[in-house]
Amino acid sequence: MKILVINAGSSSLKFQLIDMDNEAVIAKGLVERIGTVDPTTDLTYEWDGKKIKQIQLKKAANHAEAMAFVLDVLQGKDRTDLEVAPDDARGHLKDTAVIADLKEIGAVGHRVLHGGEKFTASTVIDDAVIAAIEENIPLGPLHNPANLMGIRACQEVLPEVPQVAVFDTAFHQTMPPKAFRYAIPNEYYTELHIRKYGFHGTSHRYIADRSQELLGLPKGNRVIICHLGNGSSLSACVDGKCVDTTMGITPLDGLVMGTRCGTLDPAVVEFICNRKNMTPSEVLSMMNKKSGLLGLTGSSDMRDVTARYEAGEPDAKLAIDMWGYVLRKYIGSFAAAMGGVDAIIFTAGIGENDAAGRARAVEGLEFMGVKIDPEKNAGIRGVEAKISADDSKVQVWVIPTNEELAIARDTLELATK
Ligand code: ADP
């Protein structure tokens, strides 16, 4: 069966078509500028191994139009509203075809940001599920409405095809109350559902499952998963089940990230509001979009910041030092919370590719039995590999994540039940 995986943002739509017979990606792409003031909607499309094409449509007014566009491209159906001259090679979609008929798409899996406390696992989408995702909009005000647009767009253009929702929060629902509650009066939890939810759950679950297959750990094993990308979070897992995580009611909490500040004293918000005449929303937007590596250095990209660190720039040095320090503190605190740690796993953009970043993450942790082999670490980029020294008590691994495949696997399982 072929499964279409959709990750819808407010003006964008990422997709992958996966052949579940061999779990291979048939085609993938990103549609940008949906329903914006821009004159065109842009699709970057990759198929057939490594063919890439930039296709511009005159305009997709909404996600349903963008989905219809994607389905035409997948079928290689020419359109008259492409933003290129008809004799331009880019104006033909015939060579983009990877399916002959929409019937080949067996199911659609959607990434949904916030499942609140309702969703502890992926689920087939029906009216009640849509209503529950809507109910969670206050918890995920930017993402859940966009995810719903993606779901409704697919229902419109693929009405007969089962749709599945896979939640970023679901994996973390196994946390015990002592980990997920905040120490504020009970009514804020009972009335408003204020608690730690955690995010990147699809990635953490994929890595947690893989850790149980790959590492040969005994029952009761304790693993810390470091998902270090633009957004970053850790999870503490016992036997592959989450017992704690660094992100909170929103993805702002925890580590120093590309553009997010991570943990700070919440009183900072009121202080800035008063002194800078800003609203709480404006302060939170600053903390989400202009902070972290970006706020400290002017760049959110770890590659840039590292290059500037190596060139001796003081801002970059402070940013990298803080990034590593906060990360090590959380690794240490999760090891303490679990009474020890058997394995630490790195994943996502930085975790999979940045050997220096991985070394900083565990620097000085020899006291708790963590010792990486510098040579093994240096050579590893984007592949599964053990990077700890042979005499390290704690196994340290790189395991590439694959959120789309995790979504597709859940979708296949639920759609064929
Ligand atoms: P997202 O959260 O957007 O999915 P990714 O998982 O793609 O993010 O991670 C993006 C981050 O990974 C960026 O900070 C980027 O600089 C970093 N990254 C990617 N490759 C490397 C590399 N070779 N060295 C250091 N950092 C890298």
Side-chain angles (χ1 to χ4, degrees), residues 14 111 200 227-232 257-258 260 293 300-306 347-357 381 401 403:
K14 270 194 216 159
R111 179 188 180 199
H200 295 139
H227 176 107
L228 307 175
N230 233 325
S232 299
M257 308 177 218
R260 298 189 193 115
L293 297 178
S300 63
D301 193 299
M302 186 54 108
R303 285 164 291 200
D304 292 345
V305 183
T306 305
T347 194
I350 300 172
E352 291 168 27
N353 297 298
D354 184 358
R381 279 189 70 165
T401 192
E403 290 168 90

Side-chain angles (χ1 to χ4, degrees), residues 214-375:
L214 198 65
L215 273 56
L217 296 168
K219 185 118 190 63
N221 65 78
R222 300 150 303 183
V223 176
I224 297 174
I225 297 169
C226 308
H227 176 107
L228 307 175
N230 233 325
S232 299
S233 64
L234 302 189
S235 63
C237 300
V238 175
D239 289 328
K241 299 271 181 293
C242 179
V243 295
D244 207 343
T245 189
T246 52
M247 284 180 164
I249 188 167
T250 77
L252 182 56
D253 206 1
L255 303 169
V256 174
M257 308 177 218
T259 65
R260 298 189 193 115
C261 58
T263 304
L264 47 63
D265 181 341
V268 168
V269 177
E270 191 199 24
F271 194 88
I272 297 177
C273 287
N274 291 341
R275 299 295 291 266
K276 291 273 209 182
N277 202 19
M278 286 162 75
T279 63
S281 304
E282 286 168 343
V283 177
L284 286 174
S285 171
M286 173 273 283
M287 290 175 171
N288 268 299
K289 295 181 184 157
K290 296 187 178 158
S291 299
L293 297 178
L294 178 67
L296 295 167
T297 69
S299 171
S300 63
D301 193 299
M302 186 54 108
R303 285 164 291 200
D304 292 345
V305 183
T306 305
R308 287 157 57 175
Y309 171 89
E310 282 161 6
E313 271 189 39
D315 286 353
K317 169 143 187 13
L318 175 65
I320 295 262
D321 284 351
M322 283 175 71
W323 180 88
Y325 179 71
V326 174
L327 179 51
R328 288 194 297 277
K329 277 205 301 189
Y330 271 114
I331 291 175
S333 74
F334 279 0
M338 293 190 289
V341 55
D342 301 297
I344 297 173
I345 303 175
F346 291 102
T347 194
I350 300 172
E352 291 168 27
N353 297 298
D354 184 358
R358 293 191 295 256
R360 283 185 195 102
V362 296
E363 194 179 280
L365 300 188
E366 291 84 1
F367 79 93
M368 47 186 247
V370 181
K371 196 167 151 197
I372 57 171
D373 178 326
E375 272 180 31

